[in-house]
């Protein structure tokens, strides 16, 4: 129908169809890209798209698995980073993880549906509906491992009131003033541990914490701050063991996110406790790594590191406009890329048909709107409207949640698998 002037609304709607699932797939967007699709030259691809490189993912899984084996620590890889079954199952089968970490009951449910047998809810479990669902699952699957935190007497009471005849294993979370969740004093820790020991539904199996919330930099004072926090967890575990408040003859010490797992590992493996102890780290961002935050702060990015991670995620978009000298706009923004730590980092450009890859390190993104990236470039840069710009990202934990689907690609940018997410 041709447009009539003046514009007139007819008040009619077409029949509603199923919403497209994959925003980077052309056509109906209801199926992933076929294996072998060359994503940067295919007419089946909508721009923008985020991809994950298979070689980097496999390297990262292997590198942390080697580190854990060499240092005698276990890994509960945090699932909240990607919430992608195709990635997280690899953390078990290829990466040697004991299980996966979650932050909410909904994430526990998703991980169970992904087929994960051991789940560590690295958080307090206080939602009654969540407690009851987890209790029901554990009754139906007694061979599936489950851990969670407790840091208050009220938390103990909520678990006791809603677990029914199920029993779960818990770790007492410790923290410091100004930190995140966690008990603030050893006196309170003893009182909470005593309440756990008196509750048939609970078994105290360890002490845990999260050092990343301390906000420490990788300088001498920052490293010492993390070490002091680890010593607090160790000392608390020693005190509770002396008072015979653990419900098992083997205890867990757990901490170690993506930024400090090396320092945590060194502290925990050196600890001398009255009971046998297993260190359990909980890194998650390592699977994707990045070209920004973790490229600076991750343990394997430090001088002298014997292992290395590789950035696995890239965002590719097309040039929308070159409206003035030194400025172009690319068709991705806050809806597509992380922006909470750093802006995307230009790596490559290609012609509109995907040909002629060339470096883009002389370009810079200065800002992002919802669907626009401001690209600063030399006035004589030959980049044209419609050309591809590929960028590394910073902070993978806020990258995956913007995509229901990412193609896993080889080093030639051909699809090898489909990565769907469950956010």
């Amino acid at each position: 129908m041709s447009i009539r002037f003046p514009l007139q609304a007819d008040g009619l709607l077409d029949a509603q169809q199923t919403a497209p699932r994959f925003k980077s797939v052309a056509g109906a967007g209801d199926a992933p890209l076929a294996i072998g699709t060359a994503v940067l030259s295919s007419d089946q691809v909508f721009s923008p798209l985020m991809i994950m490189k298979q070689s980097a993912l496999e390297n990262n899984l292997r590198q942390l698995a080697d580190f854990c084996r060499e240092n005698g620590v276990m890994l509960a890889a945090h699932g909240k980073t990607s919430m992608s079954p195709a990635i997280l199952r690899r953390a078990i089968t290829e990466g040697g993880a004991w299980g996966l970490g979650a932050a909410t009951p909904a994430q526990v449910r998703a991980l169970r549906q992904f087929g994960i047998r051991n789940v560590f809810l690295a958080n307090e479990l206080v939602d009654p509906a969540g407690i009851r669902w987890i209790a029901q699952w554990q009754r139906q699957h007694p061979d599936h491992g489950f851990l969670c935190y407790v840091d208050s007497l009220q938390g103990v009471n909520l678990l006791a009131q809603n677990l029914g005849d199920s029993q779960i294993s818990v770790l007492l979370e410790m923290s410091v003033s100004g930190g995140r969740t966690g008990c603030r004093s050893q006196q309170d820790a003893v009182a909470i541990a005593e309440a756990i020991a008196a509750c048939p539904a609970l078994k105290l199996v360890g002490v845990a914490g999260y050092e990343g919330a301390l906000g420490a930099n990788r300088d001498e004072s920052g490293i010492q701050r993390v070490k002091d926090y680890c010593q607090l967890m160790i000392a608390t575990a020693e005190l509770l063991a002396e008072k015979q408040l653990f419900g098992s003859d083997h205890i867990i010490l757990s901490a170690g996110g993506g930024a400090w797992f090396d320092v945590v590992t060194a502290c925990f493996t050196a600890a001398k406790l009255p009971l046998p102890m297993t260190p359990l780290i909980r890194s998650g961002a390592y699977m994707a790594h990045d070209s920004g935050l973790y490229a600076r702060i991750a343990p394997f990015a430090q001088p002298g590191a014997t292992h290395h991670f590789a950035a696995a995620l890239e965002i590719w978009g097309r040039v929308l406009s070159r409206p003035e000298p030194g400025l172009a706009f690319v068709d991705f923004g806050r809806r597509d890329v992380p922006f909470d730590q750093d802006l995307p980092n230009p790596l490559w450009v290609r012609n509109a048909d995907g040909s002629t890859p060339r470096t883009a390190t002389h370009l810079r993104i200065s800002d992002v709107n919802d669907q626009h990236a401001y690209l600063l470039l030399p006035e004589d840069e030959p980049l044209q409207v419609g050309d591809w710009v590929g960028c590394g990202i910073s902070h993978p934990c806020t990258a995956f949640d913007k995509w229901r689907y990412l193609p896993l690609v080889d080093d030639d940018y051909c699809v090898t698998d489909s990565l769907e997410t469950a956010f």
Side-chain angles (χ1 to χ4, degrees):
M1 181 177 72
S2 61
I3 296 176
R4 294 173 294 167
F5 292 94
L7 295 175
Q8 295 179 355
D10 59 17
L12 301 177
L13 291 171
D14 290 333
Q16 183 169 332
Q17 303 178 39
T18 302
R21 297 179 62 206
F22 307 131
K23 64 183 181 181
S24 58
V25 179
D30 58 357
L33 295 170
I35 302 300
T37 301
V39 296
L40 298 178
S41 59
S42 172
D43 61 4
Q44 297 302 306
V45 173
F46 276 170
S47 175
L49 77 157
M50 183 171 284
I51 59 91
M52 188 172 201
K53 287 195 166 180
Q54 179 174 322
S55 59
L57 170 62
E58 292 174 347
N59 169 79
N60 298 345
L61 292 172
R62 183 174 62 252
Q63 294 288 332
L64 192 57
D66 290 347
F67 173 87
C68 291
R69 184 179 60 255
E70 293 162 5
N71 290 276
V73 300
M74 296 182 69
L75 171 64
H78 216 324
K80 58 93 176 175
T81 301
S82 71
M83 290 303 292
S84 171
I87 297 173
L88 298 177
R89 287 173 65 90
R90 285 176 181 242
I92 306 291
T93 59
E94 300 175 25
W98 162 84
L100 290 179
T104 67
Q107 290 178 7
V108 173
R109 179 180 60 190
L111 295 181
R112 293 303 195 196
Q113 292 178 334
F114 295 172
I116 306 304
R117 297 176 66 87
N118 293 326
V119 176
F120 186 171
L121 176 59
N123 211 343
E124 279 66 30
L125 177 56
V126 300
D127 173 59
I131 297 171
R132 290 192 291 269
W133 187 90
I134 288 169
Q136 180 183 15
W137 183 279
Q138 294 306 123
R139 285 194 297 271
Q140 295 172 349
H141 304 85
D143 57 332
H144 287 193
F146 178 77
L147 303 168
C148 71
Y149 290 168
V150 175
D151 76 347
S152 67
L153 294 175
Q154 182 60 21
V156 173
N157 292 335
L158 285 167
L159 289 169
Q161 292 165 10
N162 290 282
L163 282 171
D165 58 359
S166 295
Q167 184 187 65
I168 63 171
S169 297
V170 300
L171 289 85
L172 197 149
E173 186 186 15
M174 294 296 295
S175 191
V176 296
S177 178
R180 209 164 67 179
T181 52
C183 181
R184 273 10 186 207
S185 74
Q186 290 189 340
Q187 180 180 0
D188 288 343
V190 170
I192 295 166
E194 289 174 341
I196 293 170
C199 177
L202 302 177
K203 180 169 69 172
L204 182 63
V205 298
V207 175
Y210 176 58
E211 75 291 341
L214 298 178
N217 295 316
R218 273 218 173 240
D219 53 21
E220 185 175 347
S221 62
I223 293 172
Q224 189 59 52
R225 191 174 181 185
V226 172
K227 288 181 176 179
D228 291 344
Y229 182 38
C230 290
Q231 292 305 317
L232 171 65
M233 287 181 272
I234 293 168
T236 302
E238 183 176 17
L239 175 62
L240 299 182
E242 290 172 350
K243 292 181 175 292
Q244 300 183 340
L245 292 173
F246 286 108
S248 66
D249 58 3
H250 190 109
I251 61 177
I252 299 168
L253 285 180
S254 182
W260 295 101
F261 63 78
D262 57 335
V263 177
V264 169
T265 293
C267 291
F268 284 177
T269 54
K272 306 297 182 184
L273 294 173
L275 293 172
M277 180 272 296
T278 296
L280 181 62
I281 61 173
R282 306 190 306 273
S283 307
Y286 76 97
M287 296 179 223
H289 196 50
D290 70 8
S291 301
L293 176 67
Y294 284 99
R296 297 190 300 271
I297 68 172
F300 294 170
Q302 305 312 308
T306 57
H307 296 281
H308 72 281
F309 291 143
L313 294 179
E314 293 176 5
I315 180 74
W316 284 82
R318 293 190 183 273
V319 177
L320 290 168
S321 173
R322 288 200 60 172
E324 61 185 72
L327 177 65
F329 288 90
V330 185
D331 64 353
F332 57 74
R334 296 181 180 186
R335 303 292 186 178
D336 313 298
V337 296
F339 57 94
D340 56 312
Q341 295 292 340
D342 305 290
L343 295 172
N345 178 30
L347 300 174
W348 306 100
V349 294
R350 292 186 179 225
N351 293 345
D353 62 1
S355 66
T356 320
R358 54 201 186 275
T359 184
T361 54
H362 60 298
L363 311 181
R364 183 172 69 88
I365 290 178
S366 63
D367 198 3
V368 287
N369 299 148
D370 279 0
Q371 306 289 179
H372 294 79
Y374 293 67
L375 182 66
L376 305 184
L377 69 176
E379 293 185 15
D380 60 353
E381 166 60 45
L383 194 67
Q384 299 183 38
V385 169
D387 284 353
W388 284 110
V389 178
C391 299
I393 61 95
S394 182
H395 199 196
C397 297
T398 52
F400 287 96
D401 61 306
K402 297 170 174 60
W403 296 86
R404 293 184 181 181
Y405 157 78
L406 298 80
L408 188 69
V409 302
D410 61 20
D411 289 345
D412 294 321
Y413 292 89
C414 293
V415 176
T416 62
D417 201 355
S418 298
L419 307 176
E420 297 189 38
T421 65
F423 287 98

